[in-house]
Amino acid sequence: MRRALASAKPVVLLDRSVDTLLAHAHALDALFGYDVHHRLRDRLQELPFLRPHHTLYLDVPAEELALRRKAAGHTAADSGYFLHEPTFLAHARDYFVSAAQPPVSREVTVIPADTGPDAVAHAVEALVTYWTR
């Protein structure tokens, strides 16, 4: 990663991207009929500079996220955290992995949930190095 960041090309890494916003909108439309996903996509046509070049999607199932929240000290009695609600996650995941309507990123890389932390770090480093060449 250091080599990639030392390259002549500027590198911008975002933890949450426009694709995350669109995945959430897709899920909320599916669950509640808000009808905002297509409006956001249309607005992005007017703001192409907001379109990410690359999105990395770590495909983690709802069960794993629940275990992580529990390990972090959250209990079942905590108020529902909708971002980890299984139905919401299923629809958000669909945005990234279904071919129905591709994400707005020029390139999406899906990293499976069973990929270990070291392998995820290696994959990210390899992709960032490749993208900055």
Side-chain angles (χ1 to χ4, degrees), residues 41-91:
R41 286 186 87 96
D42 290 348
R43 182 70 174 134
L44 282 172
Q45 296 301 317
E46 300 168 24
L47 305 167
F49 54 87
L50 291 178
R51 182 180 172 201
H53 291 99
H54 311 282
T55 294
L56 294 171
Y57 174 67
L58 184 56
D59 192 12
V60 179
E63 302 80 27
E64 176 66 22
L65 291 173
L67 290 173
R68 290 179 187 180
R69 281 186 54 79
K70 185 176 181 178
H74 299 275
T75 67
D78 287 343
S79 62
Y81 182 57
F82 80 96
L83 292 176
H84 288 183
E85 197 276 321
T87 308
F88 178 86
L89 281 173
H91 290 294

Side-chain angles (χ1 to χ4, degrees), residues 16-32:
R16 299 283 186 232
S17 75
V18 170
D19 268 326
T20 300
L21 172 68
L22 288 167
H24 290 179
H26 173 78
L28 291 172
D29 282 1
L31 292 170
F32 304 111

Side-chain angles (χ1 to χ4, degrees), residues 2 9 17 21 33 47-48 55 74 95 110 115 118 125 130:
R2 288 185 188 114
K9 289 185 179 181
S17 75
L21 172 68
L47 305 167
T55 294
H74 299 275
Y95 172 83
V110 177
T115 305
D118 289 341
E125 181 175 11
Y130 173 75

